[in-house]
Amino acid sequence: MKLIVKNIEKNFDNKQVLKQASFTFEKGKIYGLLGRNGAGKTTLFNCISGDTKYDSGSVKIFEEGKGESELDFSKVGYVFSEPVLPEFLTGYEFLKFFIDINKDKIQNLLTIEEYFNIIKINEEDRYRLIKGYSQGMKNKIQMICFLITRPPVILLDEPLTSFDVVVALEIKNLLKKIKSEHIIIFSTHILQLATDLCDEIVVLNNGVLEEVDSQVIRSAEFEEKIMEVLREANDD
């Protein structure tokens, strides 16, 4: 399976954010998406997920035996940097509702308690209103959603920055465990996190996607190479 982003362009008023951005993402890998603040990483995610309509280009999925087709947005799981959740429900109520409306997409369903255990949410917090959750707990709830439905394409927009060290490590290990069946794209500004977690690094630079040589990722030159690319983006 491949996610094919081809010549995506997106303008906001007079600002061109994405300029014929193209890249092919493959199943079985975790991709790190790097870029300066305001480079358009979230805009790219929004275009892939269908939350934002791009001006031109295409987003397609290639599947063995089926060929290439327009991406069905229901096959995309999106963990937002700013969680969007119904705060009038408890964590338990929301997950029950989420499971009920996604029954046709779920395989190997666990109990709600088992999902809570995986993501390390205490029992007393499971029945509290989401309104009272911290940013980290809300992000955990988002994580549970894609663990339940296991969509083919998973977009993670800065999701680990609000987690403590132990939970962040557990999430990283979980992503590595499930990556063989998914295309996972991970947006982050933390270089160490990118090198720890990701198989490939893609930089969004001046609206264009640029791949970093995989041999450089875990070398001593990686940080210098990324900083060089990002400085060029800033100068432009």
Side-chain angles (χ1 to χ4, degrees):
M1 181 174 62
K2 297 179 181 179
L3 174 68
I4 304 167
V5 175
K6 188 173 181 180
N7 296 329
I8 292 294
E9 295 198 351
K10 181 61 187 176
N11 299 292
F12 291 100
D13 297 325
N14 296 322
K15 182 178 180 180
Q16 189 173 25
V17 179
L18 300 176
K19 306 172 185 178
Q20 294 195 334
S22 299
F23 199 83
T24 298
F25 301 92
E26 299 182 7
K27 184 176 78 169
K29 294 182 179 180
I30 299 176
Y31 292 86
L33 179 64
L34 300 181
R36 297 180 69 92
N37 288 338
K41 299 187 296 298
T42 298
T43 298
L44 177 64
F45 275 3
N46 288 341
C47 288
I48 293 174
S49 68
D51 286 352
T52 295
K53 184 174 177 57
Y54 41 87
D55 299 324
S56 62
S58 63
V59 180
K60 296 187 177 182
I61 196 85
F62 173 84
E63 298 178 88
E64 294 292 338
K66 296 182 179 180
E68 191 175 300
S69 61
E70 293 293 327
L71 176 63
D72 179 351
F73 298 129
S74 68
K75 294 184 177 181
V76 180
Y78 191 170
V79 176
F80 299 90
S81 57
E82 293 292 331
V84 180
L85 297 168
E87 298 194 336
F88 57 88
L89 295 178
T90 66
Y92 188 95
E93 288 170 338
F94 171 67
L95 288 188
K96 186 177 185 304
F97 169 75
F98 184 81
I99 289 171
D100 286 344
I101 65 173
N102 287 285
K103 281 183 177 177
D104 59 331
K105 303 177 187 177
I106 302 172
Q107 298 178 358
N108 304 318
L109 179 64
L110 305 178
T111 66
I112 294 176
E113 287 77 12
E114 286 173 316
Y115 286 116
F116 276 129
N117 290 337
I118 291 173
I119 213 73
K120 297 294 188 293
I121 290 183
N122 297 328
E123 285 195 33
E124 61 270 21
D125 293 324
R126 302 174 187 185
Y127 300 95
R128 289 174 51 210
L129 290 177
I130 294 174
K131 181 179 181 179
Y133 281 10
S134 66
Q135 179 88 353
M137 288 177 64
K138 290 178 181 178
N139 268 329
K140 286 183 181 182
I141 294 292
Q142 286 195 109
M143 287 285 186
I144 293 176
C145 290
F146 85 72
L147 290 178
I148 292 171
T149 56
R150 294 293 180 93
V153 179
I154 297 173
L155 308 177
L156 306 171
D157 192 359
E158 302 276 5
L160 299 186
T161 54
S162 59
F163 290 164
D164 63 46
V165 175
V166 174
V167 174
L169 179 60
E170 290 170 342
I171 295 298
K172 286 193 290 184
N173 290 336
L174 179 62
L175 292 173
K176 291 177 182 178
K177 183 178 178 180
I178 70 171
K179 72 177 183 178
S180 63
E181 297 300 319
H182 302 271
I183 296 169
I184 300 176
I185 311 174
F186 189 100
S187 167
T188 183
H189 63 276
I190 303 173
L191 294 185
Q192 186 61 52
L193 182 57
T195 56
D196 287 347
L197 182 61
C198 301
D199 302 295
E200 304 283 349
I201 300 293
V202 184
V203 177
L204 184 56
N205 178 17
N206 295 319
V208 178
L209 291 169
E210 303 178 17
E211 183 176 11
V212 176
D213 186 344
S214 58
Q215 295 183 352
V216 178
I217 294 175
R218 290 171 180 83
S219 71
E221 294 80 29
F222 172 70
E223 186 171 319
E224 182 180 345
K225 171 67 176 176
I226 293 298
M227 293 307 295
E228 178 184 331
V229 171
L230 296 183
R231 276 197 297 269
E232 290 173 358
N234 191 45
D235 292 341
D236 290 345

